[in-house]
Amino acid sequence: MKFKWFSYSDCAGFELHETEEMAKLVAQECLDAYIDDAGNEQYSEEIDSVCWGEVKECATEKPTGEVINDYGDYVADYVLEAIAKAGVE
């Protein structure tokens, strides 16, 4: 997983980013859009959904070693593993 940062809002959804700066920028743009849309009216309740942060763990494949056919397909489990252990720089 090369994307270590995320942003989220109800209108834009969940997005992954390579840098902290980009995650914060996208979240700020979403916040600004909510503010602009409100004008002189009350803010949308969705404004509270805007956030950004760091991804701490991601799903990582753990092959069991069991091959299930002649094509080399194998059985694997998945576990949540810290980004650093999962090979993300």
Side-chain angles (χ1 to χ4, degrees):
M1 175 181 211
K2 84 181 205 181
F3 300 102
K4 190 174 177 183
W5 301 92
F6 73 90
S7 61
Y8 177 81
S9 72
D10 283 349
C11 72
F14 181 81
E15 294 183 49
L16 291 169
H17 308 281
E18 291 186 35
T19 66
E20 177 180 6
E21 293 78 18
M22 184 56 71
K24 189 172 183 178
L25 175 67
V26 171
Q28 185 63 55
E29 289 173 349
C30 289
L31 182 62
D32 292 343
Y34 279 120
I35 292 168
D36 289 345
D37 287 347
N40 292 331
E41 303 295 318
Q42 184 175 359
Y43 293 125
S44 165
E45 290 181 18
E46 294 176 340
I47 199 167
D48 292 337
S49 72
V50 178
C51 63
W52 69 276
E54 183 177 6
V55 177
K56 296 291 189 176
E57 295 184 334
C58 65
T60 304
E61 182 180 19
K62 298 292 182 182
T64 63
E66 180 184 347
V67 177
I68 58 174
N69 60 30
D70 292 337
Y71 299 107
D73 294 332
Y74 56 88
V75 176
D77 289 325
Y78 281 83
V79 297
L80 287 174
E81 195 170 73
I83 295 293
K85 289 183 180 178
V88 175
E89 306 283 325

